[in-house]
RNA sequence: GGGCGGAUAGCUCAGUUGGGAGAGCGCUGCCCUUACAAGGCAGAGGUCACAGGUUCGAUCCCUGUUCCGCCUACCA
């Protein structure tokens, strides 16, 4: 797109860059440290971050060099990184403004927590995977009548220790009388209430009674809010059973659960329940397991104070921008996907408990927040009372939900409230996507009003994969509208994802990754680019197979060889107007080229790269090479040919126009060949993109060519049927019985003669020899090829018979339709006429074929 | 659970106002013809997933079924 638009004369910018991939990068560097026997804690925050910068300096630009090798036409001087000073300034500015607008808040909520990365995740950073789980039915006896029990069903029995209520549906005749009573929670000494909740409880599922664990389940969290239930956290940040939490839950200490991992705790709890007769049954149950998108660890809903973006006010205009068509999503099938997600969007958790990223610009006065800042040198359970929410030691302090932050662009020196000078910064960093969301304007200098910003915002097109439509695209739209007052781009082109030849997603662990660098080395960059473009049909993933790339490598090779041929006949002058070439091949190829220009441009505008490449391939290989070059060889080989000079000019000009047309797809070979043509050092990318010319359109030349091609085809077929060796010349009889096309045939004859192919005189078919001529027909053209020497005509006879059978079949079909009263009375007249014409042509063909068959049989002596 | 996409030649895929089914690769035969054997020429190969419906007529429009893939979701 970039090369094409630049050639079209647009002011084009492709600004390259990378994000800092917070969690992923931190994971990589931590792994390195582990191998060295160190850890980020042992290094401390500052030295750790230095270390990450080091890593970034050495391997962070791999993708950039890959992009360069792919021939991506970026403005490399403008390379940006989300952690650059300028972009970081934009991040700060956006954070503060959103906070001041009340769109960023801090709150203690249930969030998705990765117990391995030890950080919060946003909803979309959780991948769901279907697994076979179990549904455990547990009996909770009524407090005032232990003979009666309420049976609840759960997939996570170990969380029962944190239950603070049981819900039933208020309309459920089985249970509604129990609402307000209490049950005894097995394995604990607690009694918990039975509440009525029509939102949480589905009458038709499970037992109709649901345990409520507000600290460990999103639904239960909300149900807990509705019924003002206490929340008991019984897991640590590492997804182990938490001692303090268990104590609060009054769990049976003999179970010895403290610091047991969740899986182990489940076994212990289930065993204990079974032993005590509380487990009714276990059923198989299909369920979705949430996993961390960076490390695939099972995520836990975890209660902790985090920063959130209040998203609805940002989402509403972002929905409108797409609804009104101000932003187009291509292919538009994804539009509903986008709208559906945006309409149901939840607040965005933007804080991450890692070090690599933009640290949140919030500080806490130790004096004002005396009771809300906790030294975390010792393990403290994450409970309502004790507060600290993750025991992980990132700093020596954690801040409870009640702590009052001071949000500021620069580090404050004193507390605006009490004047205290002892301030501690929030240790959390921002979600990487928070900074990526600002990319369209932060990279252009915002918040400064730079000329670049003015020129290039809003941008034209965003090209991206579906997998980051929500992560990135939606958020860029929201932030762009909020801070620039306009959409960040007009078109969003969702490209296909590349899979392996079997359609599997590529992954290192599966070992099915196709390395683009390796492919480029083997087949050439142009072949890879052309392959990807040719397979980019909308809404379909690409199954990349080597054979396909090889095929387009051959195409590149074909272009190279055709250029060599052209080079042998160079005119030695710069591109000129080839209008003096009025020969049939010249008129024809120019008309075909013109059509190709039209198609390629149209398809590029429609983001149909597949159809654009097909048009280029078809034109160059099957028209320019297969026919045009062969057609003009006699002219080129005759030094005295009157059309020689004009033909050479057309040969060269057509190649030059084609190279420009091809350049966006195959930049390297087009440039390379361009340089071998007489251009005096100009590069092809500075040339203009071809524009179709109405006066190049030559319908009569195209019609002549059609007849010509078919005639040649007949002769070639005859040669094969008769086993004629390549060197043997054949005598050809040609005729045409239709007066309407006789004129075209005359043109054809003249051109054949003109090309130095010898004379072809039409002879009325009645005057053809009755034997030793093999007659063949196609599309109303009849040709005869003389049969010379001792040849086997059996093959020819087989073919004739087959053709007759096909003709009969088709005639029968058409005849049937035309004999149907319904068809004749209801089908459009032009369709009926068309059918009649075809039927007439078929019967004429059949007559010709049968008479040929008779002659052939006569020759065979049948 | 909801939504979306796909099923067309051996393989990978095109195919829009519904009316004669295409390409590339692979396969078969012939050919090293002075651009190209990574090539040329000529061929073979398809009940357009299945079952209904609409229509004079369906690969195409509608309904259902099966299989595959993706997105999404808090069914304990």
């Amino acid at each position: 797109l970039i090369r094409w638009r630049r050639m079209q004369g647009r002011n084009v910018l492709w600004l390259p860059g990378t994000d800092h991939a917070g969690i992923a990068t931190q994971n990589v560097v931590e792994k390195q440290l582990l191998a060295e026997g160190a850890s980020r804690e042992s290094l401390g925050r500052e030295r750790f971050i230095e270390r990450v910068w080091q890593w970034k300096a050495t391997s962070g630009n791999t993708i950039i060099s890959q992009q360069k090798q792919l021939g991506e036409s970026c403005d490399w001087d403008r390379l940006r990184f989300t952690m650059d000073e300028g972009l970081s300034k934009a991040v700060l500015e956006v954070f503060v403004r959103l906070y001041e607008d009340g769109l960023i808040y801090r709150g203690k909520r249930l969030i998705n927590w990765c117990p391995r990365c030890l950080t919060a995740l946003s909803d979309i950073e959780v991948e769901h995977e279907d697994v076979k789980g179990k549904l455990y039915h547990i009996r909770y006896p009524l407090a005032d009548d232990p003979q009666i029990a309420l049976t609840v069903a759960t997939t996570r029995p170990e969380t029962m220790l944190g239950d603070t209520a049981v819900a039933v549906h208020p309309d459920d005749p089985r249970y509604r009388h129990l609402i307000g009573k209490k049950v005894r929670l097995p394995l604990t000494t607690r009694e918990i209430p039975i509440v009525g909740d029509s939102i949480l409880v589905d009458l038709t599922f499970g037992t109709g009674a649901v345990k409520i664990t507000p600290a460990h389940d999103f639904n239960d969290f909300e149900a807990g809010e509705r019924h003002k239930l206490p929340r008991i956290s019984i897991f640590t940040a590492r997804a182990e059973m938490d001692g303090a939490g268990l104590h609060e839950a009054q769990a049976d200490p003999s179970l010895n659960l403290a610091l047991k991992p969740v899986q182990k705790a489940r076994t212990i709890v289930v065993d204990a329940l079974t032993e005590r007769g509380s487990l009714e049954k276990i059923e198989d149950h299909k369920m979705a397991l949430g996993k961390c998108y960076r490390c695939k660890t099972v995520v836990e809903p975890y209660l902790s104070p985090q920063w959130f973006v209040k998203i609805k006010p940002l989402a509403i205009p972002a929905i409108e921008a797409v609804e009104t068509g101000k932003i187009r999503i291509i292919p538009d099938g994804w539009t509903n996907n986008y709208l559906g997600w945006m309409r149901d969007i939840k607040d965005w958790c933007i804080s991450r408990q890692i070090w690599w990223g933009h640290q949140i610009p919030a500080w806490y006065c130790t004096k004002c927040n005396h009771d809300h800042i906790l030294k975390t040198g010792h393990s403290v359970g994450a409970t309502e009372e004790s507060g600290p929410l993750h025991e992980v030691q990132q700093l020596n302090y954690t801040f409870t939900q009640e702590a009052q932050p001071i949000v500021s662009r620069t580090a404050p020196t004193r507390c605006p409230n009490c004047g205290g000078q002892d301030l501690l910064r929030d240790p959390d960093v921002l979600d990487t996507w928070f900074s990526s969301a600002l990319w369209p304007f932060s990279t252009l200098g915002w918040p400064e009003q730079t000329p670049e910003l003015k020129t290039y915002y809003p941008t034209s097109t965003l090209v991206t994969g579906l997998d980051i439509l929500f992560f990135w695209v939606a958020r860029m739209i929201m932030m762009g509208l909020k801070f620039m007052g306009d959409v960040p781009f007009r078109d969003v082109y969702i490209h296909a994802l590349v899979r392996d030849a079997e359609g599997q997603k590529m992954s290192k662990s599966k070992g099915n990754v196709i390395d683009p660098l390796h492919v480029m080395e083997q087949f050439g960059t142009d072949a890879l680019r052309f392959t990807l473009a040719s397979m980019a049909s909308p809404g379909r993933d690409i199954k990349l197979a080597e054979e396909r790339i090889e095929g387009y490598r051959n195409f590149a090779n074909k272009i190279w060889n055709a250029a060599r041929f052209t080079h042998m006949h160079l005119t030695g002058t710069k591109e000129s107007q080839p209008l003096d070439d009025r020969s049939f091949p010249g008129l024809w190829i120019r008309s075909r080229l013109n059509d190709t220009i039209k198609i390629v441009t149209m398809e590029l505008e429609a983001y149909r790269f597949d159809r654009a490449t097909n048009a280029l391939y078809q034109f160059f290989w099957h028209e320019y090479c297969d026919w045009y070059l062969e057609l003009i060889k006699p002219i080129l080989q005759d030094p005295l040919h009157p059309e020689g000079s004009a033909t050479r000019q057309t040969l060269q000009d057509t190649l030059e126009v084609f190279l420009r047309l091809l350049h966006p797809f195959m930049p390297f070979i087009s440039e390379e060949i361009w340089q071998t043509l007489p251009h005096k050092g100009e590069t092809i990318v500075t040339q203009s993109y071809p524009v179709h010319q109405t006066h190049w359109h030559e319908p009569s030349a195209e019609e002549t060519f059609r007849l010509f091609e078919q005639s040649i085809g007949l002769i070639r077929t005859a040669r094969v049927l008769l086993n004629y060796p390549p060197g043997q010349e054949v005598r050809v009889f040609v005729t045409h019985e239709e007066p309407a096309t006789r004129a075209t045939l005359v043109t054809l004859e003249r051109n054949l003669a003109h090309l130095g192919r010898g004379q072809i005189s039409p002879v009325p078919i009645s005057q053809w020899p009755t034997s030793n001529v093999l007659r063949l027909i196609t599309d109303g053209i009849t040709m005869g090829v003389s049969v010379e020497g001792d040849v086997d005509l059996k093959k020819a006879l087989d073919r004739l018979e087959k053709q007759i059978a096909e003709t009969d079949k088709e005639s029968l079909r058409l005849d049937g339709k035309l004999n149907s009263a319904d068809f004749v009375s209801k089908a459009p007249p032009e369709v009926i006429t068309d059918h009649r014409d075809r039927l007439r042509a078929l019967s004429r063909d059949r007559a010709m074929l049968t008479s040929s068959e008779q002659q052939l049989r006569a020759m065979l002596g049948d």
Side-chain angles (χ1 to χ4, degrees), chain A residues 530 555 592 596 612-626 658 709:
Chain A
F530 205 85
F555 180 51
R592 294 309 309 139
T596 308
T613 52
N614 285 345
L616 289 165
Y617 187 98
Q618 169 66 22
F619 168 78
F620 195 79
W621 198 313
H622 297 306
E623 292 174 334
Y624 186 78
C625 290
D626 285 355
F658 173 76
E709 181 188 24

Side-chain angles (χ1 to χ4, degrees), chain A residues 299-423:
Chain A
V299 298
E300 281 291 334
Y302 192 62
L303 197 58
S304 60
Q306 302 286 348
W307 292 88
F308 295 89
V309 172
K310 195 172 165 188
I311 208 80
K312 275 274 185 251
L314 296 171
I316 288 166
I319 290 168
E320 199 184 287
V322 171
E323 277 175 342
T324 59
K326 202 154 183 210
I327 293 176
R328 282 198 311 156
I329 299 178
I330 300 139
D332 69 355
W334 304 118
T335 304
N336 281 335
N337 221 325
Y338 168 88
L339 290 174
W341 187 74
M342 288 294 274
R343 285 174 185 141
D344 195 33
I345 196 167
K346 307 262 168 47
D347 282 359
W348 174 17
C349 176
I350 51 171
S351 42
R352 298 289 178 274
Q353 286 65 50
I354 57 175
W355 290 351
W356 177 237
H358 299 99
Q359 192 170 355
I360 289 176
W363 287 261
Y364 303 89
C365 168
T366 52
K367 209 162 158 190
C368 299
N369 294 302
H370 184 262
D371 298 334
H372 311 310
I373 300 177
L374 296 151
K375 293 207 176 189
T376 49
H378 58 289
S379 176
V380 182
T383 64
E384 277 300 289
E385 286 74 26
S386 56
L389 302 273
H390 23 92
E391 297 91 320
V392 193
Q393 308 308 301
Q394 295 175 342
L395 279 186
N396 292 323
Y397 302 93
T398 54
F399 307 95
T400 70
Q401 166 192 18
E402 292 78 18
Q404 289 300 310
I406 306 158
V407 170
S408 167
R409 287 174 181 80
T410 53
T413 50
R414 56 181 62 234
C415 172
N417 195 26
C418 72
Q421 294 182 25
D422 191 13
L423 301 168

Side-chain angles (χ1 to χ4, degrees), chain A residues 752-766:
Chain A
L752 281 169
H754 191 68
L755 289 166
R757 295 283 191 186
Q759 301 286 324
I760 294 185
S761 310
V763 182
I765 199 157
S766 54

Side-chain angles (χ1 to χ4, degrees), chain A residues 179-195:
Chain A
I179 293 170
K181 292 183 186 287
K182 293 195 163 183
V183 291
R184 291 219 308 253
L185 187 62
L187 310 184
T188 73
T189 54
R190 282 189 294 134
E191 292 183 352
I192 55 175
I194 299 168
V195 299

Side-chain angles (χ1 to χ4, degrees), chain A residues 489-647:
Chain A
F489 28 72
R490 303 286 179 212
D491 286 356
V492 177
Y493 175 72
I494 308 282
H495 62 68
L497 299 181
V498 180
R499 300 170 172 279
D500 74 2
E502 273 77 49
Q504 300 290 313
K505 209 170 192 168
M506 291 188 195
S507 81
K508 281 182 195 160
S509 54
K510 267 187 262 177
N512 62 344
V513 174
I514 299 175
D515 180 355
L517 298 181
H518 181 244
V519 171
M520 286 188 267
E521 205 175 306
Q522 197 178 358
F523 298 109
T525 298
D526 283 344
L528 176 62
R529 290 172 62 109
F530 205 85
T531 305
L532 293 176
S534 75
M535 299 183 82
S537 302
R540 218 188 238 264
D541 280 348
I542 293 176
K543 287 189 215 169
L544 193 59
E546 262 191 10
E547 301 81 65
R548 196 70 180 246
I549 311 169
E550 198 180 348
Y552 289 118
R553 184 271 318 265
N554 294 351
F555 180 51
N557 199 41
K558 188 79 175 175
I559 296 168
W560 182 257
N561 284 316
R564 273 179 53 208
F565 174 83
T566 305
H567 209 255
M568 287 164 37
H569 302 283
L570 279 187
T571 63
T573 61
K574 275 188 62 124
E575 184 186 358
S576 66
Q577 300 304 311
L579 293 177
D580 58 329
D581 183 5
R582 302 299 299 172
S583 72
F584 154 62
L587 291 175
W588 171 72
I589 198 64
R590 201 178 301 138
S591 191
R592 294 309 309 139
L593 175 66
N594 193 48
D595 211 38
T596 308
I597 294 169
K598 221 191 302 190
I599 292 168
V600 170
T601 305
M602 186 182 80
E603 300 299 3
L604 276 173
E605 276 161 2
Y607 298 94
R608 287 303 301 262
F609 309 109
D610 56 332
R611 297 207 282 224
T613 52
N614 285 345
L616 289 165
Y617 187 98
Q618 169 66 22
F619 168 78
F620 195 79
W621 198 313
H622 297 306
E623 292 174 334
Y624 186 78
C625 290
D626 285 355
W627 288 99
Y628 178 68
L629 294 188
E630 299 303 330
L631 271 172
I632 63 171
K633 275 178 183 173
I635 301 177
L636 298 176
Q637 280 155 9
D638 176 2
L640 299 176
H641 201 287
E643 303 286 352
S645 158
T647 298

Side-chain angles (χ1 to χ4, degrees), chain A residues 697-731:
Chain A
H697 183 50
E698 291 283 349
S700 70
E702 299 216 19
E703 175 59 14
T704 303
F705 176 80
R706 197 182 66 80
L707 289 171
F708 182 81
E709 181 188 24
Q710 283 170 346
S711 306
I712 299 291
L714 285 181
I715 296 167
R716 284 172 173 168
T717 301
R719 297 192 71 114
V720 169
L721 292 175
L722 298 172
N723 283 325
Y724 279 168
Q728 180 168 342
E729 292 191 1
V730 292
R731 278 172 68 220

